[in-house]
Amino acid sequence: MSFSTSPILMAVISVACLGRGAAIAAGPLEGWTGSISGHARTMQETYRGPDLGLGPVKDDAWVHQRVQVLLTADYEETFRLASEFTWGRMWGKDSPLAPPDQDEVDFLQLYAQYRLPLAETYSLTFKAGRQTLYYGSGRLLAAREGANQRLAHDALLLSWKQGDAVQVDAFMASPVEIEDGAFDNTSHPERVRFWSVYGVFPSPLGEGHAVDLYYIGLHDEDSVFLEPNGEGGRELRHTVGTRWWNKTRPVIYNTELIFQFGRAGDRDIVAGAGSLGLGYEFAQTPWQPTLMLRADLISGGGPEGDLHTFHPLFQANNYFNEGGFLSPSNLYNLNPVLSFKPHSKLEASVGVNFLWRFSAEDDVYAPPLQRLAGPAPEGERYLGTAFNAALTWKLTEKTELFLGYTHHEAGDSLTSVGAGNEDYFQASFRVEF
């Protein structure tokens, strides 16, 4: 299979899918059902000191608009054709535009899916085409929700399920790169591809508790870790991990351990990360406050010998806070967060994040895994303190207003390389249909 799907082929499949929906509306076909859904989101963002003061402009602000429309045609509970269109535009940005900032009309998703029932509670599903992938807490595989244009992959996926308790997915994929025109986004598996087996299983701790076990392989012909050598080069990285989490209350936990190995250029990869999430929900207290403690230990290392810098793969850009200033590589942190509900339709959170470099000899990284600043000259480790506040107001069942603010007070590990403080504000309005 070629992951670089031609726009003509994608258009043909989409029209076929839309045609089914139109036919159902005109006169139902036996066994077929169709649906149309989507959302529109308008977001305003303001940065003061972008890239921790190392960016090309001192201050920046912009507005961006995103519209996504999903069309589906289903035959009973076995077969689905899906086509999701996306469009985005940005106004007012002084910094150079990044590919996810805007796009003409294109396909976010375009796939065919077949579900084979094997027994009363068992099923096997095959899904082929362009699709979004999100697993676990988004620490490694997320959909880039905060950006104007979300991340999709051209992929082949096989999913085995046993009821609602067990699911094992196996897939091979290549990330889709956003181009300027209409219906021209494509993946490049000859440059970047990855494959995975990801399973979710019942935990020995009982009902409402679960364990994720996974393996992810990554092949990258232009590794970010080899750029200082002048030409880039090939990276083959293997990731194995486990996540322990629960749905029960009042105690909340979400803990993950990850190990990485492989080779980048002529260097062996030995890296890893540990993430702790532990909290308590005071459900009977006014405003139902929830107190969480999050902590991460994410490896990094110097330029010689084994490569110890952790690769977060396709992580959520707002991994630590709404500002998303730092990528989860070469650092450790402590992050207490308090969330509460003053009203049934209103949820707020406040948090503070204390961050240090794991290795002073390694760089500081910004999303999506790009070098922001070099090693600390005198071994300084403290990256600073980030203060975060967020407010979500569910105006109606299908409309939502979100406000977010982050201030990062730079520590000596940043000021020693010329970086400084940064502020971020976001206001977004989302309508679903």
Side-chain angles (χ1 to χ4, degrees), residues 407-421:
H407 169 75
H408 188 104
E409 190 73 21
D412 58 3
S413 191
L414 287 175
T415 58
S416 65
V417 293
N421 301 340

Side-chain angles (χ1 to χ4, degrees), residues 2 78 165 191 281 290 304 341 343:
S2 171
T78 60
R191 298 205 309 258
E281 179 184 297
T290 298
E304 304 296 332
K341 298 178 180 179
H343 187 273

Side-chain angles (χ1 to χ4, degrees), residues 334-414:
L334 289 173
N335 182 200
V337 179
L338 175 65
S339 61
F340 48 94
K341 298 178 180 179
H343 187 273
S344 60
K345 296 184 178 181
L346 199 63
E347 183 170 354
S349 67
V350 292
V352 58
N353 197 3
F354 307 95
L355 303 108
W356 296 262
R357 287 203 209 207
F358 186 94
S359 170
E361 297 179 353
D362 201 351
D363 295 326
V364 177
Y365 298 88
L369 192 61
Q370 56 187 340
R371 283 185 171 84
L372 182 63
E378 301 296 332
E380 301 92 346
R381 288 182 179 266
Y382 192 54
L383 292 167
T385 308
F387 304 91
N388 193 72
L391 178 68
T392 303
W393 183 9
K394 195 76 172 178
L395 299 170
T396 68
E397 182 181 353
K398 294 183 179 295
T399 59
E400 180 180 283
L401 175 67
F402 176 84
L403 301 174
Y405 173 74
T406 303
H407 169 75
H408 188 104
E409 190 73 21
D412 58 3
S413 191
L414 287 175

